[in-house]
Amino acid sequence: MQPITLTTDRLRLSPFAPGDAEEVRAACQDPDIQRWIPVPAPYELRHAEEFVEVTVPAGWRDDTEYTLCARPRGGGALIASASLHHPRSGSWEIGFWTAREQRGRGYATEVTLAMARWAFTRLDCTRLEWRAEVGNTGSLAVAEKAGFTFEGVQRSGFHGRGTLRDCWVASLLPSDLGLPCPVPYLPARCDAPAGGGVTNATPPRAPAAGPGSPPAPAGSPAGHRPASRA
C-alpha cells in the first residue's frame, strides 16, 4: 500500500521521513518508553535511522505494518508514533508511543481513534486489538478513553528482550464507533461456560494521565516489534 496521511482536529499523521531520525532517537531516550516498549537499549541514532529508513517503508511496501508519526497540523515537533499491523484475518492490532513532553494532552487517544477509523473504513478491519504488558496503566488509560472493551489477561502474550510476559488485551469494533462491519457479528451470550471461567473481565483502574504519566505504548510498539529490530 502507498503511505497515507490522516488529519484530526489538532494533528497531522503522516509517514516518517529520513529527517525524523533524530527526533525518534531523542524520544526513545525516555525511560518509560524503554521500560514498556522493546526498543534497543541504549537507543542510538543508528536504530532510529533503521526504523525510519528501513522498517517503516518496508511495512508499507509489504503490507505488514502501517506506521505514521503525529505532529501538529500546522507543523512542529514530533508528538507520537502509531502503527497498525495485521496478525490475523480481519483483525488488526494497534501500537503507539507519545513523546514524554507531549503527554497528558489527549494526543494518544486522538491518534488511536484516527487510526481506528481508517482501519475500519479502508482496511476491512472487523476488530482492532490493543495489547500492553500488564502494569502499563498509561496505555490502558488511552485504550479506555478510545472506547476499547477490556477482555482480560493473555498469558505469555508479550515478547520483549528475550522474555515472555503477560499482557492486557482489549478490543474495539466498528460498531463501537458507529461504523458498519463488513461481516455480520453475532455476540455470544454472557452465560458462564462449563467449568467456570471469566466472561466479563474488569479492567484494572488506570490513573489519570498527566505530564509525568507513562507513555501509553501498546503491545504493538509502533514499528519497534522485536522481529524487526537490528
Side-chain angles (χ1 to χ4, degrees), residues 126-213:
T126 59
R127 168 186 164 92
L128 184 61
E129 192 168 280
W130 163 92
R131 297 187 309 136
E133 184 181 335
V134 170
N136 190 349
T137 54
S139 189
L140 174 63
V142 172
E144 290 181 328
K145 290 175 183 176
F148 282 72
T149 295
F150 186 83
E151 297 177 339
V153 175
Q154 185 179 50
R155 295 189 303 161
S156 188
F158 190 89
H159 187 188
R161 300 192 181 94
T163 302
L164 291 170
R165 301 177 185 271
D166 295 343
C167 67
W168 288 326
V169 182
S171 67
L172 189 71
L173 305 182
S175 57
D176 295 330
L177 300 183
L179 298 171
C181 182
V183 179
Y185 168 48
L186 181 63
R189 293 177 59 189
C190 292
D191 298 336
V198 177
T199 55
N200 292 301
T202 301
R205 186 172 183 178
S213 298

Side-chain angles (χ1 to χ4, degrees), residues 23-46:
E23 284 186 289
V24 172
R25 184 207 65 79
C28 289
Q29 302 311 301
D30 175 28
D32 288 327
I33 287 180
Q34 295 201 11
R35 165 64 181 88
W36 296 112
I37 293 179
V39 297
Y43 194 91
E44 301 174 353
L45 182 60
R46 62 187 177 91

